[in-house]
Amino acid sequence: MDQGSAAGPHRARGRLGAPSCGARAPGAPWARFSAWLECVCVVTFDLELGQALELVYPSDFQLTDKEKSSICYLSFPDSHSGCLGDTQFSFRIRQCGGQRRPWHTDDRHCDSGAPVSLQREPAHYFGYVYFRQVKDSSVKRGYFQKAWGPALPCYTWGFLIAWSPTSGHSWEVGGTPYPGRPWMSRASGVPAGSQGAGATSHRPRALQSLVLVSRLPFVRLFQALLSLVAPEYFDKLAPCLEAVCDEIDQWPAPVPGQTLNLPVMGVILQVHIPSRADKPESGPPKQCSHENLLPAPVVLTSVHELDLFRCFRPVLAHVQLLWELMLLGEPLLVLAPSPAVSSEMVLALTSCLQPLKFCCDYRPYFTVHDSEFKEFTTRTQAPPSVVLGVTNPFFIKTLQHWPHVLRIGEPKMPGDLPKQVKLKKPSRLKTLDTKPGLYTAYMTYLHRDKALLRRLLKGLQKKRPSDVQTAVLRRHLLELTQSFLSPLEHYMASLMPLQKSITPWKTPPQIHPFHQDDFLRSLEHSGPQLTCLLKGDRLGLYRWADSRRFFKSPHFDGWYRQRHKEMAQKLEALHLEAICEANIEIWMKDKSEVEVVDLVLKLRERLVRAQGHQLPVKEATLKRARLYIETVIGSLPKDLQVVLCPP
């Protein structure tokens, strides 16, 4: 293998993994593949050479050195996770260097119809990992490790081995990382990789990870895909990978509202792509029909929803407290025993605000080797609004200044409700040996819903299916969020200009500005006390949020921008309808050619936007607009007609 550069991990070359030559063009052969995945990576770890990005498939997909490094560190559990056998988890990394693949028209169409929380991430990549560790007698340290996912760290024999491409040294990351401390070989007592040519080498064969990288937050779908593909890949390697990628390149686009059959390796995955028009489920999702397919499809009830009840089992008593922390964009550290528990808890927390999009940063799995480590751990400024999932107890010491820390113990077997973590003061945080608990001084504004806990406990006693328990919990969280958003939506609707003020031949009126003081005054008439049965200081939640976090948080900014955009599009659509309902011939009588041409150009621009599903316009309105354009152009001199409608 070639030696890696100092800027990133070692890069090996293979038949599928030729060096990246740039972003794919919209008409490239992998257009359908890229509607689902960005790329698949294979990463190897070698004790002498360090981590190596062996191939990126398709081979023309481009990753920066920083992205390669992140991928090489995040696909394996660290030294504190005793993950034997097969484990799946996920992570999320920041894209570096701007957008490198032009988005297709289909991508924009899919995003426009999808719920805001399920649209493509423009600035982040999701990684979905399948990790395997089994005993291997051919490896000196006793374990052979592989992973299927979108990032790989350097993990082997129960220790996390970090490799410095600049110094060529590796070091062991135990309870506390020691940056710059060479790892000492047990056999020779010298830094790994620095033995002389005549020294005895105890290097095991290379370790591998298979990595899925996507912009779509379809965690359930990609976990199901990994469970089918990864075991086969570990046995058959590259030929299997090529065949799977070719099959994915034949999948239809993930158009919202459609039920799709996705063939892969002799199995058909049947999925429903969520749409904005879908109503929140009040019970378990209904399965789709099999349509007499052979073989019978594997039906996924959701492409993105986790088993919320299973994820929240140890913290059910504090669900509302956690919901408030997520709503206000508070920084939260989640310390879990494994990447699987860490990533599922973080994803469950970020999903509990639906239908409100979680706009703060979040990392389902994070290590000390991440490129944003210094950014998140600095003490020179307030902790960022981020939910951080980790497994290394070192973070307890590093992030002691964070206001909220959730420490989760080892998962229990299904059955009775596990012991609930206790609320503890942040001052009781101890380095490394911190006991499970929710360490926070935050006081909730809503009282705990004891009826919900009794209902969930009764479901456990009756052995109610987990998906039913999840539906109960998800509906409770949905009602909390909808109750909080209702006054905001009501006030925002009052900022919309009246339809009678929209005239065809004048610029549409502007949306009125959002004034926080006016909104707070409106709470007495349209506050959450009218829609929420929970007791507590509901108005205080807004006022506290106003003075401290919510109106300054990414959640409010994201919600407001989205609603303002939708209202502006609605105004534009209403204005287009007003034009189409007016008598265009009467309007043209006293207008100059410049004004008429200007109308044609504006109508064409709006037609393009409407046809791209960016304006909520009926098809009948679009037909009238096209007819108006033809009528207006026909009234112009021949020379202008040629300019506006070239042959």
Side-chain angles (χ1 to χ4, degrees), residues 355-587:
L356 180 66
K357 181 180 180 180
F358 191 87
C359 296
C360 296
D361 199 356
Y362 63 97
R363 304 303 170 91
Y365 177 50
F366 190 81
T367 74
V368 296
H369 303 288
D370 197 284
S371 59
E372 281 87 46
F373 176 77
K374 290 184 179 180
E375 174 186 335
F376 290 156
T377 58
T378 179
R379 291 174 180 260
T380 59
Q381 56 189 17
S385 295
V386 60
V387 183
L388 214 58
V390 303
T391 60
N392 192 336
F394 171 73
F395 281 96
I396 293 292
K397 178 179 179 180
T398 307
L399 301 180
Q400 278 184 325
H401 61 294
W402 278 34
H404 319 289
V405 175
L406 174 60
R407 176 72 162 93
I408 307 171
E410 293 288 344
K412 305 296 182 181
M413 295 296 292
D416 295 335
L417 188 68
K419 185 178 180 181
Q420 298 293 285
V421 299
K422 296 181 179 179
L423 281 180
K424 300 182 180 182
K425 296 180 179 179
S427 59
R428 297 183 61 185
L429 276 173
K430 297 179 181 179
T431 306
L432 301 184
D433 61 346
T434 297
K435 294 182 179 180
L438 179 53
Y439 296 82
T440 179
Y442 177 80
M443 301 296 293
T444 60
Y445 280 81
L446 297 180
H447 297 168
R448 182 186 302 176
D449 190 347
K450 296 180 180 179
L452 172 69
L453 289 175
R454 287 196 297 268
R455 186 176 179 186
L456 293 174
L457 285 172
K458 188 175 181 180
L460 277 175
Q461 294 169 357
K462 293 186 175 182
K463 297 183 178 180
R464 187 184 295 158
S466 184
D467 58 346
V468 178
Q469 297 278 76
T470 290
V472 171
L473 186 55
R474 194 176 296 281
R475 183 161 188 81
H476 171 77
L477 294 170
L478 175 66
E479 290 174 351
L480 279 180
T481 305
Q482 288 178 332
S483 176
F484 182 85
L485 289 178
S486 178
L488 288 165
E489 295 284 358
H490 186 271
Y491 176 75
M492 195 70 184
S494 70
L495 305 180
M496 182 77 168
L498 297 176
Q499 187 168 352
K500 65 181 181 181
S501 65
I502 302 173
T503 57
W505 315 121
K506 292 183 179 180
T507 303
Q510 296 294 309
I511 299 170
H512 303 302
F514 190 108
H515 293 296
Q516 295 178 18
D517 292 338
D518 291 344
F519 166 72
L520 291 173
R521 283 192 290 269
S522 73
L523 288 177
E524 296 180 3
H525 308 289
S526 60
Q529 69 274 12
L530 303 178
T531 58
C532 184
L533 299 178
L534 286 180
K535 297 180 180 179
D537 186 6
R538 304 174 191 86
L539 300 184
L541 180 61
Y542 288 95
R543 294 191 177 98
W544 185 89
D546 174 48
S547 61
R548 295 288 297 278
R549 297 293 294 184
F550 183 71
F551 285 118
K552 302 174 185 177
S553 75
H555 293 327
F556 174 74
D557 183 66
W559 172 84
Y560 177 75
R561 287 176 182 271
Q562 179 65 29
R563 292 293 290 115
H564 193 277
K565 176 183 175 182
E566 292 171 356
M567 291 169 66
Q569 291 175 345
K570 181 64 176 177
L571 269 178
E572 198 171 343
L574 290 173
H575 189 231
L576 180 60
E577 289 179 3
I579 292 175
C580 292
E581 290 172 0
N583 191 322
I584 194 75
E585 294 178 351
I586 295 177
W587 177 83

Side-chain angles (χ1 to χ4, degrees), residues 567-638:
M567 291 169 66
Q569 291 175 345
K570 181 64 176 177
L571 269 178
E572 198 171 343
L574 290 173
H575 189 231
L576 180 60
E577 289 179 3
I579 292 175
C580 292
E581 290 172 0
N583 191 322
I584 194 75
E585 294 178 351
I586 295 177
W587 177 83
M588 288 190 300
K589 285 182 179 179
D590 58 346
K591 296 298 181 295
S592 65
E593 291 181 356
V594 173
E595 292 175 298
V596 173
V597 170
D598 184 61
L599 174 66
V600 171
L601 296 178
K602 287 182 178 179
L603 283 176
R604 279 183 170 175
E605 179 185 355
R606 293 185 184 180
L607 270 179
V608 170
R609 293 188 60 196
Q611 291 169 344
H613 303 275
Q614 296 179 6
L615 292 180
V617 180
K618 297 178 182 179
E619 183 61 33
T621 302
L622 297 179
K623 290 181 179 179
R624 286 200 300 270
R626 296 188 193 100
L627 180 61
Y628 272 26
I629 292 174
E630 293 176 2
T631 302
V632 172
I633 293 177
S635 68
L636 293 171
K638 294 295 184 181

Side-chain angles (χ1 to χ4, degrees), residues 115-141:
V116 290
S117 60
L118 295 181
Q119 293 176 359
R120 281 174 169 78
E121 286 268 5
H124 291 84
Y125 292 133
F126 290 101
Y128 303 96
V129 181
Y130 191 105
F131 169 74
R132 169 173 289 183
Q133 174 174 293
V134 295
K135 292 217 173 189
D136 190 340
S137 58
S138 66
V139 178
K140 290 289 184 182
R141 303 291 178 170

